Amino acid sequence: MTRFPREGQLRWIGLRPARDVPMREVPSAEARTGAGLVGDRYAGGSGKRGVTLIQAEHLPAIAALAGRDAVAPAILRRNLVVSGIALVALRGQRFRVGGVLLEGTDSCDPCSRMEQALGPGGYNAPGGMGGLCARVLEGGTLRIGDAVAWVGA
């Protein structure tokens, strides 16, 4: 239960500077301990949702269930898209994205905005594939291409 076949990789980073504005794709982001990502609307909150992540491998499945050819990461409103490591297994676990230490806190369920983003039934399309919320335990800079690796409970 504590082994992973390989490390994952950070594929995409997005920030939401305010409510009801589009995500902004960025090549890197600063994560602050207990606060989240600098420039994101959730930075400075409770910390349990400091960073949101989604599995790159789930994007085609969500698109298919929503009746689309593809779904851009920004539409799903998660901060980080990672590939190669099962996010669901990182709930309640500590893991590193590059030099940043995160702790998976809870699943990141879809919100009602998915109906607007994906069309009718969009709320249910990402069911079970909404991703993971995490708190920042040790801050630093996240960069596209960073390794994603399990650290422990």
Side-chain angles (χ1 to χ4, degrees), residues 98-140:
V100 175
L101 181 64
L102 301 173
E103 180 180 46
T105 57
D106 206 353
S107 57
C108 196
D109 298 323
C111 69
S112 61
R113 295 184 59 85
M114 290 301 101
E115 290 288 312
Q116 291 173 301
L118 297 173
Y123 176 82
N124 287 314
M129 296 179 284
L132 181 71
C133 296
R135 73 172 45 116
V136 180
L137 300 178
E138 293 175 10

Side-chain angles (χ1 to χ4, degrees), residues 13-99:
I13 302 170
L15 301 173
R16 271 183 320 268
R19 183 178 173 91
D20 297 328
V21 300
M23 296 281 299
R24 191 170 49 94
E25 182 177 357
V26 296
S28 64
E30 187 69 25
R32 293 218 175 122
T33 303
L37 301 180
V38 174
D40 190 72
R41 75 182 217 102
Y42 286 107
S46 70
K48 290 179 77 173
R49 190 187 169 98
V51 180
T52 57
L53 302 93
I54 194 163
Q55 188 88 42
E57 291 84 352
H58 290 170
L59 297 178
I62 294 168
L65 293 169
R68 295 170 157 244
D69 292 332
V71 173
I75 289 175
L76 298 174
R77 302 161 33 101
R78 302 295 181 256
N79 298 119
L80 308 178
V81 176
V82 302
S83 66
I85 192 166
L87 283 177
V88 69
L90 297 175
R91 186 174 174 190
Q93 302 291 310
R94 292 178 178 199
F95 57 100
R96 287 199 180 274
V97 179

